[in-house]
PDB file of all heavy atoms in Angstrom:
ATOM      1  N   SER S 317       1.145  16.190  22.361  1.00 91.00           N
ATOM      2  CA  SER S 317       2.534  15.896  21.997  1.00 91.00           C
ATOM      3  C   SER S 317       2.766  14.401  22.087  1.00 91.00           C
ATOM      4  O   SER S 317       2.080  13.686  22.802  1.00 91.00           O
ATOM      5  CB  SER S 317       3.499  16.629  22.922  1.00 91.00           C
ATOM      6  OG  SER S 317       3.413  16.168  24.261  1.00 91.00           O
ATOM      7  N   ILE S 318       3.758  13.944  21.358  1.00 93.00           N
ATOM      8  CA  ILE S 318       4.191  12.541  21.396  1.00 93.00           C
ATOM      9  C   ILE S 318       5.649  12.546  21.851  1.00 93.00           C
ATOM     10  O   ILE S 318       6.501  13.084  21.129  1.00 93.00           O
ATOM     11  CB  ILE S 318       4.023  11.845  20.088  1.00 93.00           C
ATOM     12  CG1 ILE S 318       2.573  11.849  19.645  1.00 93.00           C
ATOM     13  CG2 ILE S 318       4.553  10.398  20.140  1.00 93.00           C
ATOM     14  CD1 ILE S 318       2.315  11.225  18.275  1.00 93.00           C
ATOM     15  N   ASN S 319       5.918  11.932  22.983  1.00 93.00           N
ATOM     16  CA  ASN S 319       7.262  11.948  23.539  1.00 93.00           C
ATOM     17  C   ASN S 319       8.141  10.784  22.959  1.00 93.00           C
ATOM     18  O   ASN S 319       9.334  10.958  22.798  1.00 93.00           O
ATOM     19  CB  ASN S 319       7.270  11.837  25.045  1.00 93.00           C
ATOM     20  CG  ASN S 319       6.526  12.982  25.680  1.00 93.00           C
ATOM     21  OD1 ASN S 319       6.689  14.136  25.277  1.00 93.00           O
ATOM     22  ND2 ASN S 319       5.698  12.715  26.712  1.00 93.00           N
ATOM     23  N   ARG S 320       7.499   9.692  22.684  1.00 96.00           N
ATOM     24  CA  ARG S 320       8.239   8.516  22.258  1.00 96.00           C
ATOM     25  C   ARG S 320       7.323   7.632  21.426  1.00 96.00           C
ATOM     26  O   ARG S 320       6.157   7.456  21.729  1.00 96.00           O
ATOM     27  CB  ARG S 320       8.684   7.745  23.528  1.00 96.00           C
ATOM     28  CG  ARG S 320       9.499   6.457  23.282  1.00 96.00           C
ATOM     29  CD  ARG S 320       9.821   5.860  24.607  1.00 96.00           C
ATOM     30  NE  ARG S 320      10.589   4.622  24.525  1.00 96.00           N
ATOM     31  CZ  ARG S 320      10.094   3.419  24.507  1.00 96.00           C
ATOM     32  NH1 ARG S 320       8.743   3.270  24.503  1.00 96.00           N
ATOM     33  NH2 ARG S 320      10.879   2.351  24.473  1.00 96.00           N
ATOM     34  N   MET S 321       7.855   7.072  20.358  1.00 96.00           N
ATOM     35  CA  MET S 321       7.178   6.117  19.549  1.00 96.00           C
ATOM     36  C   MET S 321       8.068   4.944  19.329  1.00 96.00           C
ATOM     37  O   MET S 321       9.255   5.069  19.227  1.00 96.00           O
ATOM     38  CB  MET S 321       6.721   6.714  18.165  1.00 96.00           C
ATOM     39  CG  MET S 321       5.792   7.903  18.330  1.00 96.00           C
ATOM     40  SD  MET S 321       5.079   8.419  16.703  1.00 96.00           S
ATOM     41  CE  MET S 321       3.860   7.106  16.404  1.00 96.00           C
ATOM     42  N   GLY S 322       7.440   3.778  19.240  1.00 97.00           N
ATOM     43  CA  GLY S 322       8.255   2.582  19.058  1.00 97.00           C
ATOM     44  C   GLY S 322       7.493   1.425  18.492  1.00 97.00           C
ATOM     45  O   GLY S 322       6.289   1.474  18.254  1.00 97.00           O
ATOM     46  N   TRP S 323       8.233   0.359  18.249  1.00 98.00           N
ATOM     47  CA  TRP S 323       7.691  -0.873  17.771  1.00 98.00           C
ATOM     48  C   TRP S 323       8.053  -2.021  18.705  1.00 98.00           C
ATOM     49  O   TRP S 323       9.179  -2.135  19.158  1.00 98.00           O
ATOM     50  CB  TRP S 323       8.287  -1.206  16.363  1.00 98.00           C
ATOM     51  CG  TRP S 323       7.823  -0.295  15.292  1.00 98.00           C
ATOM     52  CD1 TRP S 323       8.453   0.873  14.865  1.00 98.00           C
ATOM     53  CD2 TRP S 323       6.645  -0.405  14.516  1.00 98.00           C
ATOM     54  NE1 TRP S 323       7.749   1.469  13.846  1.00 98.00           N
ATOM     55  CE2 TRP S 323       6.614   0.730  13.613  1.00 98.00           C
ATOM     56  CE3 TRP S 323       5.592  -1.308  14.473  1.00 98.00           C
ATOM     57  CZ2 TRP S 323       5.556   0.925  12.715  1.00 98.00           C
ATOM     58  CZ3 TRP S 323       4.562  -1.093  13.563  1.00 98.00           C
ATOM     59  CH2 TRP S 323       4.586  -0.004  12.718  1.00 98.00           C
ATOM     60  N   TYR S 324       7.033  -2.824  18.984  1.00 98.00           N
ATOM     61  CA  TYR S 324       7.207  -4.021  19.755  1.00 98.00           C
ATOM     62  C   TYR S 324       6.713  -5.214  18.894  1.00 98.00           C
ATOM     63  O   TYR S 324       6.005  -5.020  17.949  1.00 98.00           O
ATOM     64  CB  TYR S 324       6.369  -3.963  21.027  1.00 98.00           C
ATOM     65  CG  TYR S 324       6.848  -2.941  22.028  1.00 98.00           C
ATOM     66  CD1 TYR S 324       6.676  -1.590  21.809  1.00 98.00           C
ATOM     67  CD2 TYR S 324       7.473  -3.332  23.196  1.00 98.00           C
ATOM     68  CE1 TYR S 324       7.096  -0.647  22.751  1.00 98.00           C
ATOM     69  CE2 TYR S 324       7.914  -2.405  24.169  1.00 98.00           C
ATOM     70  CZ  TYR S 324       7.705  -1.048  23.898  1.00 98.00           C
ATOM     71  OH  TYR S 324       8.133  -0.142  24.802  1.00 98.00           O
ATOM     72  N   ARG S 325       7.136  -6.401  19.245  1.00 98.00           N
ATOM     73  CA  ARG S 325       6.677  -7.568  18.555  1.00 98.00           C
ATOM     74  C   ARG S 325       6.418  -8.713  19.536  1.00 98.00           C
ATOM     75  O   ARG S 325       7.037  -8.793  20.582  1.00 98.00           O
ATOM     76  CB  ARG S 325       7.682  -7.979  17.473  1.00 98.00           C
ATOM     77  CG  ARG S 325       8.982  -8.505  17.988  1.00 98.00           C
ATOM     78  CD  ARG S 325       9.934  -8.768  16.841  1.00 98.00           C
ATOM     79  NE  ARG S 325      11.221  -9.313  17.302  1.00 98.00           N
ATOM     80  CZ  ARG S 325      12.273  -9.502  16.501  1.00 98.00           C
ATOM     81  NH1 ARG S 325      12.221  -9.181  15.186  1.00 98.00           N
ATOM     82  NH2 ARG S 325      13.383  -9.974  16.968  1.00 98.00           N
ATOM     83  N   GLN S 326       5.522  -9.589  19.110  1.00 98.00           N
ATOM     84  CA  GLN S 326       5.209 -10.733  19.921  1.00 98.00           C
ATOM     85  C   GLN S 326       5.045 -11.971  18.987  1.00 98.00           C
ATOM     86  O   GLN S 326       4.190 -11.992  18.145  1.00 98.00           O
ATOM     87  CB  GLN S 326       3.970 -10.521  20.727  1.00 98.00           C
ATOM     88  CG  GLN S 326       3.656 -11.647  21.710  1.00 98.00           C
ATOM     89  CD  GLN S 326       2.568 -11.205  22.730  1.00 98.00           C
ATOM     90  OE1 GLN S 326       1.751 -10.365  22.434  1.00 98.00           O
ATOM     91  NE2 GLN S 326       2.588 -11.863  23.899  1.00 98.00           N
ATOM     92  N   ALA S 327       5.898 -12.959  19.225  1.00 97.00           N
ATOM     93  CA  ALA S 327       5.776 -14.195  18.487  1.00 97.00           C
ATOM     94  C   ALA S 327       5.015 -15.184  19.300  1.00 97.00           C
ATOM     95  O   ALA S 327       4.856 -15.053  20.515  1.00 97.00           O
ATOM     96  CB  ALA S 327       7.194 -14.766  18.248  1.00 97.00           C
ATOM     97  N   PRO S 328       4.428 -16.209  18.694  1.00 92.00           N
ATOM     98  CA  PRO S 328       3.619 -17.183  19.428  1.00 92.00           C
ATOM     99  C   PRO S 328       4.428 -17.824  20.541  1.00 92.00           C
ATOM    100  O   PRO S 328       5.560 -18.237  20.345  1.00 92.00           O
ATOM    101  CB  PRO S 328       3.301 -18.233  18.349  1.00 92.00           C
ATOM    102  CG  PRO S 328       3.306 -17.470  17.047  1.00 92.00           C
ATOM    103  CD  PRO S 328       4.399 -16.447  17.217  1.00 92.00           C
ATOM    104  N   GLY S 329       3.826 -17.871  21.710  1.00 94.00           N
ATOM    105  CA  GLY S 329       4.478 -18.447  22.872  1.00 94.00           C
ATOM    106  C   GLY S 329       5.523 -17.615  23.502  1.00 94.00           C
ATOM    107  O   GLY S 329       6.228 -18.102  24.422  1.00 94.00           O
ATOM    108  N   LYS S 330       5.733 -16.369  23.049  1.00 96.00           N
ATOM    109  CA  LYS S 330       6.797 -15.547  23.600  1.00 96.00           C
ATOM    110  C   LYS S 330       6.212 -14.278  24.158  1.00 96.00           C
ATOM    111  O   LYS S 330       5.096 -13.864  23.835  1.00 96.00           O
ATOM    112  CB  LYS S 330       7.846 -15.247  22.545  1.00 96.00           C
ATOM    113  CG  LYS S 330       8.535 -16.467  21.956  1.00 96.00           C
ATOM    114  CD  LYS S 330       9.611 -16.114  20.951  1.00 96.00           C
ATOM    115  CE  LYS S 330      10.793 -15.389  21.636  1.00 96.00           C
ATOM    116  NZ  LYS S 330      11.894 -15.105  20.634  1.00 96.00           N
ATOM    117  N   GLN S 331       6.990 -13.567  24.979  1.00 97.00           N
ATOM    118  CA  GLN S 331       6.605 -12.306  25.531  1.00 97.00           C
ATOM    119  C   GLN S 331       6.742 -11.206  24.483  1.00 97.00           C
ATOM    120  O   GLN S 331       7.567 -11.300  23.581  1.00 97.00           O
ATOM    121  CB  GLN S 331       7.473 -11.962  26.775  1.00 97.00           C
ATOM    122  CG  GLN S 331       7.336 -12.909  27.915  1.00 97.00           C
ATOM    123  CD  GLN S 331       6.062 -12.685  28.668  1.00 97.00           C
ATOM    124  OE1 GLN S 331       5.081 -13.341  28.422  1.00 97.00           O
ATOM    125  NE2 GLN S 331       6.089 -11.744  29.619  1.00 97.00           N
ATOM    126  N   ARG S 332       5.951 -10.167  24.667  1.00 97.00           N
ATOM    127  CA  ARG S 332       6.099  -9.023  23.796  1.00 97.00           C
ATOM    128  C   ARG S 332       7.449  -8.328  24.113  1.00 97.00           C
ATOM    129  O   ARG S 332       7.762  -8.140  25.288  1.00 97.00           O
ATOM    130  CB  ARG S 332       4.933  -8.025  23.979  1.00 97.00           C
ATOM    131  CG  ARG S 332       4.954  -6.844  23.016  1.00 97.00           C
ATOM    132  CD  ARG S 332       3.705  -6.001  23.126  1.00 97.00           C
ATOM    133  NE  ARG S 332       2.492  -6.771  22.855  1.00 97.00           N
ATOM    134  CZ  ARG S 332       1.282  -6.245  22.756  1.00 97.00           C
ATOM    135  NH1 ARG S 332       1.113  -4.947  22.942  1.00 97.00           N
ATOM    136  NH2 ARG S 332       0.224  -7.012  22.516  1.00 97.00           N
ATOM    137  N   GLU S 333       8.188  -7.942  23.092  1.00 97.00           N
ATOM    138  CA  GLU S 333       9.483  -7.344  23.301  1.00 97.00           C
ATOM    139  C   GLU S 333       9.662  -6.081  22.507  1.00 97.00           C
ATOM    140  O   GLU S 333       9.042  -5.934  21.441  1.00 97.00           O
ATOM    141  CB  GLU S 333      10.588  -8.349  22.914  1.00 97.00           C
ATOM    142  CG  GLU S 333      10.590  -8.711  21.446  1.00 97.00           C
ATOM    143  CD  GLU S 333      11.760  -9.618  21.032  1.00 97.00           C
ATOM    144  OE1 GLU S 333      12.664  -9.796  21.854  1.00 97.00           O
ATOM    145  OE2 GLU S 333      11.755 -10.135  19.939  1.00 97.00           O
ATOM    146  N   LEU S 334      10.444  -5.181  23.018  1.00 98.00           N
ATOM    147  CA  LEU S 334      10.776  -3.948  22.300  1.00 98.00           C
ATOM    148  C   LEU S 334      11.677  -4.273  21.115  1.00 98.00           C
ATOM    149  O   LEU S 334      12.641  -5.009  21.237  1.00 98.00           O
ATOM    150  CB  LEU S 334      11.504  -2.984  23.247  1.00 98.00           C
ATOM    151  CG  LEU S 334      12.042  -1.706  22.591  1.00 98.00           C
ATOM    152  CD1 LEU S 334      10.886  -0.807  22.191  1.00 98.00           C
ATOM    153  CD2 LEU S 334      12.940  -0.963  23.551  1.00 98.00           C
ATOM    154  N   VAL S 335      11.301  -3.702  19.967  1.00 98.00           N
ATOM    155  CA  VAL S 335      12.107  -3.844  18.775  1.00 98.00           C
ATOM    156  C   VAL S 335      12.968  -2.599  18.588  1.00 98.00           C
ATOM    157  O   VAL S 335      14.183  -2.639  18.394  1.00 98.00           O
ATOM    158  CB  VAL S 335      11.268  -4.123  17.527  1.00 98.00           C
ATOM    159  CG1 VAL S 335      12.122  -4.174  16.278  1.00 98.00           C
ATOM    160  CG2 VAL S 335      10.473  -5.381  17.689  1.00 98.00           C
ATOM    161  N   ALA S 336      12.317  -1.463  18.589  1.00 98.00           N
ATOM    162  CA  ALA S 336      12.989  -0.165  18.407  1.00 98.00           C
ATOM    163  C   ALA S 336      12.075   0.940  18.922  1.00 98.00           C
ATOM    164  O   ALA S 336      10.875   0.841  18.877  1.00 98.00           O
ATOM    165  CB  ALA S 336      13.365   0.042  16.920  1.00 98.00           C
ATOM    166  N   ALA S 337      12.702   2.038  19.365  1.00 98.00           N
ATOM    167  CA  ALA S 337      11.962   3.177  19.818  1.00 98.00           C
ATOM    168  C   ALA S 337      12.751   4.447  19.537  1.00 98.00           C
ATOM    169  O   ALA S 337      13.968   4.429  19.432  1.00 98.00           O
ATOM    170  CB  ALA S 337      11.680   3.056  21.333  1.00 98.00           C
ATOM    171  N   ILE S 338      11.999   5.544  19.395  1.00 97.00           N
ATOM    172  CA  ILE S 338      12.577   6.831  19.104  1.00 97.00           C
ATOM    173  C   ILE S 338      11.860   7.891  19.892  1.00 97.00           C
ATOM    174  O   ILE S 338      10.644   7.902  19.909  1.00 97.00           O
ATOM    175  CB  ILE S 338      12.624   7.098  17.542  1.00 97.00           C
ATOM    176  CG1 ILE S 338      13.328   8.421  17.240  1.00 97.00           C
ATOM    177  CG2 ILE S 338      11.198   7.114  16.983  1.00 97.00           C
ATOM    178  CD1 ILE S 338      13.630   8.578  15.768  1.00 97.00           C
ATOM    179  N   THR S 339      12.621   8.794  20.495  1.00 95.00           N
ATOM    180  CA  THR S 339      12.031   9.868  21.246  1.00 95.00           C
ATOM    181  C   THR S 339      11.797  11.078  20.364  1.00 95.00           C
ATOM    182  O   THR S 339      12.290  11.163  19.258  1.00 95.00           O
ATOM    183  CB  THR S 339      12.890  10.275  22.460  1.00 95.00           C
ATOM    184  OG1 THR S 339      14.117  10.906  21.950  1.00 95.00           O
ATOM    185  CG2 THR S 339      13.290   9.057  23.275  1.00 95.00           C
ATOM    186  N   SER S 340      11.097  12.093  20.906  1.00 90.00           N
ATOM    187  CA  SER S 340      10.891  13.330  20.163  1.00 90.00           C
ATOM    188  C   SER S 340      12.189  14.047  19.836  1.00 90.00           C
ATOM    189  O   SER S 340      12.257  14.790  18.838  1.00 90.00           O
ATOM    190  CB  SER S 340       9.951  14.240  20.944  1.00 90.00           C
ATOM    191  OG  SER S 340      10.510  14.599  22.224  1.00 90.00           O
ATOM    192  N   GLY S 341      13.184  13.845  20.655  1.00 90.00           N
ATOM    193  CA  GLY S 341      14.498  14.424  20.416  1.00 90.00           C
ATOM    194  C   GLY S 341      15.426  13.655  19.495  1.00 90.00           C
ATOM    195  O   GLY S 341      16.524  14.063  19.256  1.00 90.00           O
ATOM    196  N   GLY S 342      14.930  12.476  19.057  1.00 92.00           N
ATOM    197  CA  GLY S 342      15.685  11.675  18.099  1.00 92.00           C
ATOM    198  C   GLY S 342      16.550  10.611  18.720  1.00 92.00           C
ATOM    199  O   GLY S 342      17.288   9.954  17.975  1.00 92.00           O
ATOM    200  N   ARG S 343      16.451  10.395  20.031  1.00 96.00           N
ATOM    201  CA  ARG S 343      17.220   9.319  20.623  1.00 96.00           C
ATOM    202  C   ARG S 343      16.599   7.992  20.239  1.00 96.00           C
ATOM    203  O   ARG S 343      15.357   7.793  20.399  1.00 96.00           O
ATOM    204  CB  ARG S 343      17.246   9.473  22.131  1.00 96.00           C
ATOM    205  CG  ARG S 343      18.135   8.474  22.845  1.00 96.00           C
ATOM    206  CD  ARG S 343      18.148   8.708  24.352  1.00 96.00           C
ATOM    207  NE  ARG S 343      18.653  10.050  24.687  1.00 96.00           N
ATOM    208  CZ  ARG S 343      19.966  10.314  24.830  1.00 96.00           C
ATOM    209  NH1 ARG S 343      20.862   9.383  24.702  1.00 96.00           N
ATOM    210  NH2 ARG S 343      20.334  11.566  25.167  1.00 96.00           N
ATOM    211  N   ILE S 344      17.429   7.038  19.823  1.00 98.00           N
ATOM    212  CA  ILE S 344      16.948   5.760  19.281  1.00 98.00           C
ATOM    213  C   ILE S 344      17.517   4.598  20.116  1.00 98.00           C
ATOM    214  O   ILE S 344      18.657   4.618  20.521  1.00 98.00           O
ATOM    215  CB  ILE S 344      17.376   5.619  17.811  1.00 98.00           C
ATOM    216  CG1 ILE S 344      16.654   6.685  16.968  1.00 98.00           C
ATOM    217  CG2 ILE S 344      17.067   4.226  17.300  1.00 98.00           C
ATOM    218  CD1 ILE S 344      17.111   6.698  15.519  1.00 98.00           C
ATOM    219  N   ASN S 345      16.690   3.608  20.279  1.00 98.00           N
ATOM    220  CA  ASN S 345      17.100   2.377  20.970  1.00 98.00           C
ATOM    221  C   ASN S 345      16.592   1.210  20.137  1.00 98.00           C
ATOM    222  O   ASN S 345      15.456   1.165  19.711  1.00 98.00           O
ATOM    223  CB  ASN S 345      16.486   2.346  22.367  1.00 98.00           C
ATOM    224  CG  ASN S 345      16.848   1.071  23.085  1.00 98.00           C
ATOM    225  OD1 ASN S 345      15.973   0.231  23.443  1.00 98.00           O
ATOM    226  ND2 ASN S 345      18.137   0.891  23.401  1.00 98.00           N
ATOM    227  N   TYR S 346      17.524   0.213  19.956  1.00 98.00           N
ATOM    228  CA  TYR S 346      17.153  -1.013  19.222  1.00 98.00           C
ATOM    229  C   TYR S 346      17.418  -2.235  20.103  1.00 98.00           C
ATOM    230  O   TYR S 346      18.321  -2.253  20.932  1.00 98.00           O
ATOM    231  CB  TYR S 346      18.045  -1.176  17.987  1.00 98.00           C
ATOM    232  CG  TYR S 346      17.843  -0.189  16.867  1.00 98.00           C
ATOM    233  CD1 TYR S 346      18.723   0.852  16.662  1.00 98.00           C
ATOM    234  CD2 TYR S 346      16.753  -0.307  16.003  1.00 98.00           C
ATOM    235  CE1 TYR S 346      18.543   1.753  15.647  1.00 98.00           C
ATOM    236  CE2 TYR S 346      16.585   0.601  14.987  1.00 98.00           C
ATOM    237  CZ  TYR S 346      17.506   1.619  14.830  1.00 98.00           C
ATOM    238  OH  TYR S 346      17.286   2.538  13.769  1.00 98.00           O
ATOM    239  N   ALA S 347      16.603  -3.248  19.864  1.00 98.00           N
ATOM    240  CA  ALA S 347      16.914  -4.567  20.438  1.00 98.00           C
ATOM    241  C   ALA S 347      18.201  -5.089  19.768  1.00 98.00           C
ATOM    242  O   ALA S 347      18.464  -4.844  18.557  1.00 98.00           O
ATOM    243  CB  ALA S 347      15.790  -5.553  20.195  1.00 98.00           C
ATOM    244  N   ASP S 348      19.007  -5.810  20.553  1.00 98.00           N
ATOM    245  CA  ASP S 348      20.254  -6.340  20.027  1.00 98.00           C
ATOM    246  C   ASP S 348      20.028  -7.227  18.793  1.00 98.00           C
ATOM    247  O   ASP S 348      20.859  -7.231  17.871  1.00 98.00           O
ATOM    248  CB  ASP S 348      21.020  -7.075  21.072  1.00 98.00           C
ATOM    249  CG  ASP S 348      21.620  -6.222  22.107  1.00 98.00           C
ATOM    250  OD1 ASP S 348      21.787  -5.008  21.880  1.00 98.00           O
ATOM    251  OD2 ASP S 348      21.936  -6.726  23.230  1.00 98.00           O
ATOM    252  N   SER S 349      18.935  -7.937  18.776  1.00 97.00           N
ATOM    253  CA  SER S 349      18.662  -8.871  17.715  1.00 97.00           C
ATOM    254  C   SER S 349      18.400  -8.217  16.361  1.00 97.00           C
ATOM    255  O   SER S 349      18.471  -8.898  15.333  1.00 97.00           O
ATOM    256  CB  SER S 349      17.478  -9.764  18.077  1.00 97.00           C
ATOM    257  OG  SER S 349      16.300  -8.999  18.316  1.00 97.00           O
ATOM    258  N   VAL S 350      18.074  -6.925  16.328  1.00 98.00           N
ATOM    259  CA  VAL S 350      17.767  -6.276  15.082  1.00 98.00           C
ATOM    260  C   VAL S 350      18.780  -5.201  14.699  1.00 98.00           C
ATOM    261  O   VAL S 350      18.631  -4.599  13.605  1.00 98.00           O
ATOM    262  CB  VAL S 350      16.359  -5.681  15.089  1.00 98.00           C
ATOM    263  CG1 VAL S 350      15.359  -6.729  15.519  1.00 98.00           C
ATOM    264  CG2 VAL S 350      16.252  -4.476  16.029  1.00 98.00           C
ATOM    265  N   LYS S 351      19.756  -4.927  15.540  1.00 98.00           N
ATOM    266  CA  LYS S 351      20.732  -3.888  15.217  1.00 98.00           C
ATOM    267  C   LYS S 351      21.460  -4.222  13.905  1.00 98.00           C
ATOM    268  O   LYS S 351      21.873  -5.357  13.705  1.00 98.00           O
ATOM    269  CB  LYS S 351      21.737  -3.766  16.375  1.00 98.00           C
ATOM    270  CG  LYS S 351      21.178  -3.084  17.594  1.00 98.00           C
ATOM    271  CD  LYS S 351      22.240  -2.925  18.692  1.00 98.00           C
ATOM    272  CE  LYS S 351      21.727  -2.227  19.883  1.00 98.00           C
ATOM    273  NZ  LYS S 351      22.682  -2.125  20.976  1.00 98.00           N
ATOM    274  N   GLY S 352      21.583  -3.251  13.094  1.00 98.00           N
ATOM    275  CA  GLY S 352      22.231  -3.389  11.802  1.00 98.00           C
ATOM    276  C   GLY S 352      21.299  -3.894  10.693  1.00 98.00           C
ATOM    277  O   GLY S 352      21.671  -3.856   9.521  1.00 98.00           O
ATOM    278  N   ARG S 353      20.116  -4.306  11.080  1.00 98.00           N
ATOM    279  CA  ARG S 353      19.125  -4.780  10.084  1.00 98.00           C
ATOM    280  C   ARG S 353      17.903  -3.906  10.009  1.00 98.00           C
ATOM    281  O   ARG S 353      17.352  -3.714   8.920  1.00 98.00           O
ATOM    282  CB  ARG S 353      18.717  -6.176  10.378  1.00 98.00           C
ATOM    283  CG  ARG S 353      19.849  -7.221  10.359  1.00 98.00           C
ATOM    284  CD  ARG S 353      19.352  -8.656  10.473  1.00 98.00           C
ATOM    285  NE  ARG S 353      18.650  -8.882  11.734  1.00 98.00           N
ATOM    286  CZ  ARG S 353      17.363  -9.216  11.807  1.00 98.00           C
ATOM    287  NH1 ARG S 353      16.648  -9.425  10.716  1.00 98.00           N
ATOM    288  NH2 ARG S 353      16.801  -9.450  12.995  1.00 98.00           N
ATOM    289  N   PHE S 354      17.442  -3.388  11.105  1.00 98.00           N
ATOM    290  CA  PHE S 354      16.243  -2.555  11.176  1.00 98.00           C
ATOM    291  C   PHE S 354      16.618  -1.120  11.428  1.00 98.00           C
ATOM    292  O   PHE S 354      17.574  -0.810  12.107  1.00 98.00           O
ATOM    293  CB  PHE S 354      15.326  -3.018  12.337  1.00 98.00           C
ATOM    294  CG  PHE S 354      14.645  -4.366  12.140  1.00 98.00           C
ATOM    295  CD1 PHE S 354      15.041  -5.217  11.120  1.00 98.00           C
ATOM    296  CD2 PHE S 354      13.660  -4.760  12.996  1.00 98.00           C
ATOM    297  CE1 PHE S 354      14.456  -6.458  10.940  1.00 98.00           C
ATOM    298  CE2 PHE S 354      13.090  -5.981  12.879  1.00 98.00           C
ATOM    299  CZ  PHE S 354      13.470  -6.842  11.825  1.00 98.00           C
TER     300      PHE S 354
END
């Protein structure tokens, strides 16, 4: 089973950060910087 899938990103010189994630039940979380665009 897969409980959660998501996307992270890492720019040069920066920490890896969560972009968006979705659970098996459909719960979604976005980074504030991408809300409304991704």
Side-chain angles (χ1 to χ4, degrees):
S317 66
I318 300 178
N319 299 319
R320 179 180 182 270
M321 299 188 77
W323 292 93
Y324 293 72
R325 67 186 181 188
Q326 188 168 24
K330 300 183 68 176
Q331 297 284 94
R332 186 174 299 186
E333 64 175 350
L334 173 70
V335 178
I338 184 168
T339 70
S340 60
R343 187 179 298 274
I344 295 173
N345 179 245
Y346 292 104
D348 288 341
S349 60
V350 307
K351 286 181 179 178
R353 300 188 298 119
F354 291 9

